[in-house]
């Protein structure tokens, strides 16, 4: 990169990394499926530095990939074409919580766990939680509109967003971080930048709404004989349990893999098959009685394990949260994070293994996810990283079922080819018009989200 000296002037020599060993962690995505070639990583320490970096890159038409915690799962934050990586993790301040207004302003590089902690210290909570909470950042979760474990209760990241500060493609800074609950003044840039995957601007700060804490929690792990029963139960729990905080789902094969990989005892020693729901209730008072009553009212429950203390609860959560890591031990997966109408969840789960098997008979399919939201994480191991025939067949099935090719991870590099399955031609034309308006030179994360234009 010919402007390395310029970048060094802006952020200092310690914050321009070029050595392959030093940049390796910024070039490879979390799944191990996507790895970029040698490049430069720039780590600004302030919004002004980030703006100066973007301005310098704009002047030389150098493409930039903004990056937070690099925990994304669709290859959206790695420099696959040798782009400069703009790492925001040094921007990690969190301002004092606005306790009266129930909001907080945090830098893009602050970890989600740090925001949760700051909120809790002030008697509030942050509505977003996800397994990668210690690494995933405010900016990255906004850029991808991350979902996670609390969407059911508090909505996705977009629903938490009050204001934003961002650097535009020409280096200008737009700031709107109002300490307001209501603010209805035209185009809402936070909403637009949320889910834009670094293609429209670089997020440097955000104003986030907080939620009342629900410190009393109970969880139950339920085993059902069939996915149909589990899916029906998820719907019934939403109606019947006001304190419902999460309904997560996995299958026997995934549970067995997690237990084997992490040497955990099986929750129900004798069970060899089933569909599992991990149900959590959270409230300002102990929700155990309501949870127990709601579980008792369900049909088709074959086994139950209840956790009332935090230690046992964490043990139950491990069966669910360790899926991603356990699957990575098998080999780099193809990750197909999809959503279907809740009524079609069981059908999807039933049909996916056959679709995969017909194309790749030796591949393994792992299904788990957020049951009450109709969000299934279809992971397939044993496929060549570049062989996307399975991805194609599964996405088409999902589209036929009225679903979406991305529920919460975004489009990134991995799915942009299939955006037309999720969006109409007119919508994609509108996307392209927005991209041209915000980034006419096309330097911001140029290889994600939008499919290549046919020439
Ligand atoms: C989860 O729900 C994450 O655990 C990761 O969204 C999903 O690894 C996956 O496919
Ligand atoms: Zn998920």
């Amino acid at each position: 990169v010919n402007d390395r000296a310029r970048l060094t002037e802006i952020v200092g020599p310690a914050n321009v990394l070029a050595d392959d060993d030093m940049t390796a962690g910024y070039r490879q995505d979390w799944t191990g499926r996507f790895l970029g070639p040698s490049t430069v990583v720039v780590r600004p320490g302030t919004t002004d530095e980030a703006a100066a970096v973007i301005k310098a890159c704009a002047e030389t038409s150098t493409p930039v990939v903004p990056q937070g915690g690099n925990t994304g799962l669709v290859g959206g934050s790695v420099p696959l074409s040798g782009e400069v990586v703009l790492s925001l993790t040094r921007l990690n301040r969190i301002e004092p919580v606005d306790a009266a207004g129930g909001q907080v302003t945090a830098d893009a590089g602050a970890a989600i766990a740090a925001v949760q902690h700051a909120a809790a210290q002030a008697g509030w909570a942050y509505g977003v939680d996800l397994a990668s909470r210690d690494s995933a950042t405010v900016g990255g979760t906004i850029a991808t509109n991350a979902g996670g474990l609390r969407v059911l209760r508090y909505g996705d990241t977009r629903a938490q967003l009050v204001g934003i500060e961002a650097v535009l493609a020409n280096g200008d800074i737009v700031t709107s971080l109002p300490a307001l609950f209501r603010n209805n003044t035209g185009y809402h840039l936070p909403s637009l930048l949320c889910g834009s995957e670094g293609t429209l601007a670089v997020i440097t700060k955000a104003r986030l709404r907080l939620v009342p804490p629900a410190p009393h929690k109970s969880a139950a792990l339920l085993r059902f004989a069939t996915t149909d029963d589990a899916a029906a139960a998820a719907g019934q729990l939403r109606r019947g349990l006001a304190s419902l905080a999460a309904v997560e789902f996995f299958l026997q094969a995934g549970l067995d893999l997690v237990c084997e990989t992490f040497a955990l005892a099986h929750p129900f020693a004798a069970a060899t098959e089933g569909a599992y729901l991990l149900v959590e209730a959270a409230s300002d008072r102990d929700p155990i009685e309501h949870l127990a009553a709601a579980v008792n009212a369900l049909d088709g429950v074959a086994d139950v394990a209840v956790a009332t203390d935090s230690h046992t609860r964490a043990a139950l959560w491990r069966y669910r949260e360790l899926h991603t890591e356990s699957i990575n031990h098998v080999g780099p997966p193809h990750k197909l994070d999809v959503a279907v109408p809740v009524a079609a969840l069981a059908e999807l789960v039933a049909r996916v293994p056959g679709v995969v098997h017909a194309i790749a008979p030796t591949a393994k399919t792992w299904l788990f996810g957020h049951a009450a939201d109709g969000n299934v994480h279809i992971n397939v191991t044993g496929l060549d990283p570049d062989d996307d025939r399975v991805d194609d067949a599964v996405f088409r099935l999902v589209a036929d079922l009225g679903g979406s090719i991305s529920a919460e991870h975004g489009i990134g590099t991995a799915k942009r080819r299939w955006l037309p399955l999720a969006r109409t031609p007119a919508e994609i034309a509108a996307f392209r018009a927005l991209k041209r308006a915000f980034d006419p030179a096309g330097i911001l994360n140029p290889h994600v989200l939008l499919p290549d234009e046919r020439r």
Side-chain angles (χ1 to χ4, degrees):
V1 181
N2 54 11
D3 44 11
R4 188 163 337 153
R6 178 96 188 271
L7 298 176
T8 305
E9 250 167 51
I10 298 167
V11 297
N15 294 306
V16 178
L17 315 177
D19 190 90
D20 274 357
D21 288 344
M22 302 278 280
T23 61
Y26 299 85
R27 288 186 288 118
Q28 181 146 43
D29 85 317
W30 201 88
T31 69
R33 183 177 169 194
F34 300 101
L35 172 66
S38 298
T39 190
V40 176
V41 176
V42 191
R43 304 187 306 170
T46 63
T47 298
D48 285 340
E49 284 183 12
V53 169
I54 293 294
K55 201 161 191 294
C57 291
E59 279 163 16
T60 53
S61 300
T62 304
V64 180
V65 173
Q67 189 182 87
N70 197 19
T71 57
L73 299 172
V74 287
S77 61
V78 280
L80 297 180
S81 304
E83 299 92 335
V84 166
V85 175
L86 184 69
S87 168
L88 281 307
T89 52
R90 284 182 65 226
L91 266 90
N92 62 1
R93 281 155 297 248
I94 299 175
E95 288 180 13
V97 168
D98 171 1
Q103 297 182 350
V104 67
T105 298
D107 281 2
I112 294 305
V115 174
Q116 291 172 343
H117 182 74
Q121 297 288 86
W124 287 91
Y126 183 47
V128 174
D129 190 29
L130 64 182
S132 54
R133 60 186 72 81
D134 292 316
S135 313
T137 61
V138 166
T141 53
I142 295 170
T144 55
N145 186 27
L149 306 168
R150 301 280 175 251
V151 175
L152 180 63
R153 180 104 158 223
Y154 303 116
D156 53 18
T157 298
R158 182 175 284 122
Q160 324 306 321
L161 211 44
V162 175
I164 211 153
E165 176 193 82
V167 178
L168 301 179
N170 62 2
D172 284 355
I173 299 167
V174 285
T175 306
S176 174
L177 299 163
L180 299 172
F181 201 85
R182 295 190 179 202
N183 177 26
N184 192 4
T185 49
Y187 298 142
H188 193 238
L189 288 180
S191 299
L192 182 59
L193 297 189
C194 187
S196 67
E197 303 191 6
T199 61
L200 300 182
V202 178
I203 297 159
T204 48
K205 242 188 233 304
R207 181 85 181 167
L208 303 167
R209 97 176 158 107
L210 302 175
V211 297
H216 296 279
K217 294 180 180 167
S218 292
L221 181 64
L222 314 179
R223 185 174 74 84
F224 298 82
T226 67
T227 308
D228 277 294
D229 286 344
Q236 205 174 324
L237 286 164
R238 276 185 68 192
R239 285 194 305 276
L241 186 57
S243 55
L244 188 64
V247 186
E248 298 293 309
F249 125 92
F250 48 87
L251 299 177
Q252 188 70 41
L255 174 64
D256 291 345
L257 178 70
V258 167
C259 290
E260 190 190 311
T261 311
F262 288 92
L264 303 180
H266 275 73
F268 311 117
T272 54
E273 60 170 21
Y276 292 79
L277 289 186
L278 175 57
V279 182
E280 186 164 276
S283 177
D284 53 0
R285 60 197 68 169
D286 189 353
I288 182 62
E289 277 175 31
H290 288 139
L291 175 64
V295 167
N296 279 336
L298 298 175
D299 292 324
V301 179
D303 281 306
V304 185
V306 177
T308 49
D309 64 286
S310 63
H311 185 78
T312 321
R313 212 159 26 82
L316 293 185
W317 270 102
R318 270 196 286 281
Y319 295 124
R320 165 62 179 85
E321 285 199 326
L322 290 174
H323 266 68
T324 299
E325 223 171 311
S326 302
I327 291 165
N328 264 24
H329 279 260
V330 180
H334 283 226
K335 288 207 172 273
L336 313 174
D337 154 51
V338 304
V340 289
V342 175
L345 183 78
E347 183 179 352
L348 178 75
V349 169
R351 286 174 65 185
V352 161
V355 168
V356 174
H357 187 81
I359 295 167
T362 58
K364 285 210 172 77
T365 306
W366 313 95
L367 301 171
F368 61 102
H370 313 285
D373 317 345
N375 181 181
V376 184
H377 295 308
I378 302 172
N379 280 233
V380 185
T381 52
L383 296 175
D384 202 85
D386 300 324
D387 181 353
D388 56 18
R389 289 172 303 151
V390 163
D391 309 45
D392 187 64
V394 170
F395 290 146
R396 284 177 198 287
L397 169 66
V398 167
D400 285 347
L401 292 173
S404 168
I405 62 166
S406 175
E408 59 165 353
H409 296 169
I411 298 295
T413 304
K415 296 181 179 174
R416 67 191 187 117
R417 217 190 104 190
W418 292 279
L419 193 66
L421 278 180
R423 297 292 190 170
T424 64
E427 281 180 298
I428 292 176
F431 282 16
R432 290 199 198 282
L434 281 170
K435 173 70 177 168
R436 275 194 299 275
F438 273 80
D439 180 19
I443 62 164
L444 295 178
N445 219 2
H447 303 294
V448 306
L449 190 62
L450 289 163
D452 283 334
E453 247 168 316
R454 277 201 220 109
R455 282 156 218 269

